[in-house]
Amino acid sequence: MKKDEAPRSQPLKAANDNPAALAPAAVDAALTRIAEAIGRHIAREHVRARKAANDNDLP
């Protein structure tokens, strides 16, 4: 054994020890929420850009 190696009392675990499979319905629901949020963000950007282009209107 090398100097920098300490004896292990427990076996190593993988860092990605999450469950192997997720429910497809849960994944679809999460992806739908993400897509909706991205769509709202893009829509807001377009509305702001349009208002900035028409800033010479009377209040």
Side-chain angles (χ1 to χ4, degrees):
M1 183 184 322
K2 294 180 182 177
K3 281 178 154 181
D4 58 348
E5 291 182 3
R8 300 188 194 282
S9 60
Q10 298 177 352
L12 294 175
K13 284 187 176 179
N16 59 347
D17 59 352
N18 297 331
L22 297 173
V27 173
D28 288 344
L31 290 176
T32 300
R33 285 192 301 270
I34 292 169
E36 288 171 350
I38 291 170
R40 284 191 298 270
H41 182 74
I42 291 171
R44 285 187 202 112
E45 288 178 350
H46 284 282
V47 168
R48 286 184 194 128
R50 198 162 200 192
K51 284 183 179 179
N54 295 327
D55 62 353
N56 56 356
D57 291 338
L58 294 175

